[in-house]
Amino acid sequence: QQAVEMYEAKDWDRIDELVAPGYVRHDPQQPMLVDNRAALKEYLAFLEVAYPTDMEITFDEVLVMDDRFVARFTFSGTNTGPRGDIPATGNRVEITGVSISRVVGGLVVEEWVYADLLGTLQQLGFCITPPQP
């Protein structure tokens, strides 16, 4: 529950108390490897640069079972900053996804995140074109 509160409040100072030093995030849509606490902080800073004015993470449902918790979330914000090499589009996005977190000794050690990448790109204004022969 504390990790959920940390994300919803964007209280990144709590990462050191809630996330293991060797934390690993598996997320096929993210542009960078996140394999420790510092990398998680960098990734969250990357998101705050891309969505600086109104980034919001809301947990719509959380299920806890043994050493795991599963969360259905909504990420929203207006892309007024660059996403790495991609310039800002000015478009607002609302993305749904699911994360599965493994907890050991009260710390999140591993996380699998799946979100709607196609929906994200479409909301940002990108067009998906098939390969040309």
Side-chain angles (χ1 to χ4, degrees), residues 98-132:
V98 173
S99 69
I100 303 168
S101 300
R102 185 168 63 92
V103 178
V104 174
L107 299 175
V108 178
V109 296
E110 197 166 17
E111 184 176 28
W112 295 264
V113 181
Y114 303 95
D116 180 11
L117 177 57
L118 178 58
T120 303
L121 293 172
Q122 289 173 330
Q123 291 175 63
L124 288 171
F126 291 89
C127 297
I128 307 302
T129 57
Q132 302 301 310

Side-chain angles (χ1 to χ4, degrees), residues 30-75:
Q30 76 186 20
M32 59 191 68
L33 176 65
V34 177
D35 61 355
N36 58 58
R37 281 195 292 224
L40 176 59
K41 290 176 185 178
E42 286 176 31
Y43 175 65
L44 294 168
F46 164 83
L47 288 177
E48 288 190 313
V49 166
Y51 303 93
T53 57
D54 59 353
M55 181 177 94
E56 187 174 348
I57 303 169
T58 305
F59 288 83
D60 307 306
E61 186 173 10
V62 177
L63 304 170
V64 178
M65 188 171 47
D66 299 324
D67 67 340
R68 314 237 174 195
F69 68 90
V70 178
R72 186 172 53 82
F73 65 87
T74 301
F75 174 96

